[in-house]
Structures are given as C-alpha cells and as structure tokens.
Amino acid sequence: MAIEAVGAAMSSAMTGSLQQLDQMAAQAAAGNNALSVGAVSEASGTDAQGFAGMLKDSLARVSHSQQVAAGQAKAFELGSPDVSLDQVMVAGQKASLEFEMTVQVRNKLLSAYKEIMNMAV
C-alpha cells in the first residue's frame, strides 16, 4: 500500500505542475504580458520557488527510488533473507515508472518552452 501512496503523491505533484504549465501557456497564448511568473505562482497558491522546488524534490525521489531498487536487487543477489523476489521486482518497476514519468514531464516542459519561444512578441 505504501507504493500506491508514493505513486499517488508523485502523480498529484506532477499533475499540479502540468496544470501550472498549462495555465502559464494559456496566459502566454492570450498575450497577457503584464502577468509575471511570480504572479502566476501566487495565483496558483505556491511561492516563487514552488515549481523549481517541486521539480527538484521529484528528481530526488526518483533518484532515491532507483537507489533503493538497486540496493534491493543487490541484497537479493547476495542471498539476503530480508529481501524477496517480489519486493525486488516491485521496487524495480516502481523506479522504472517514476523515471518514465520524469522523462515525460521533461518532454512536456521542452515542448512548452519551444512553443513559448516560437511565439511572436
């Protein structure tokens, strides 16, 4: 059940980040130049470092998850009685899914950045 809770927390954090990006893109597309990035952050209920901090925390969680999965795999290979095959497989799949989600968020960010950079001023 802890895996579902972690997955749900990451999913909600990423969804919030994507919604914030969508809001910023919509405002940029509408030509609202008076609204700054800080104002967008305040409007969404986070501080100016909210998105960057959330992104950093997400990357740290993904890294930690990969380290845990690698540690469990190594412990299983060494014959530790505390680690079972199903725990190793679940940790590996969890780390893989988190990494894939991170790559998809990166792709969405790059796409939004390219779209903003191609807008006429």
Side-chain angles (χ1 to χ4, degrees):
M1 290 193 189
I3 294 171
E4 290 93 12
V6 170
M10 281 203 62
S11 177
S12 66
M14 293 298 173
T15 302
S17 298
L18 290 175
Q19 287 174 345
Q20 186 177 2
L21 282 174
D22 289 339
Q23 288 174 352
M24 290 172 64
Q27 289 172 351
N32 190 355
N33 294 331
L35 192 58
S36 68
V37 174
V40 172
S41 297
E42 291 171 10
S44 66
T46 62
D47 60 350
Q49 295 295 324
F51 180 75
M54 191 177 357
L55 190 60
K56 184 177 179 182
D57 290 344
S58 177
L59 291 174
R61 281 193 301 261
V62 170
S63 176
H64 180 262
S65 178
Q66 288 177 334
Q67 291 172 352
V68 167
Q72 285 186 347
K74 185 170 185 150
F76 181 76
E77 290 171 0
L78 295 175
S80 174
D82 297 336
V83 180
S84 65
L85 180 60
D86 60 334
Q87 290 173 330
V88 173
M89 296 303 293
V90 168
Q93 288 298 313
K94 179 180 146 194
S96 176
L97 286 172
E98 288 177 357
F99 180 74
E100 182 65 31
M101 184 169 45
T102 302
V103 169
Q104 293 299 322
V105 169
R106 182 207 61 176
N107 291 344
K108 181 77 171 177
L109 284 170
L110 287 175
S111 172
Y113 176 77
K114 287 178 183 177
E115 185 176 333
I116 289 171
M117 295 309 295
N118 288 332
M119 286 183 185
V121 178

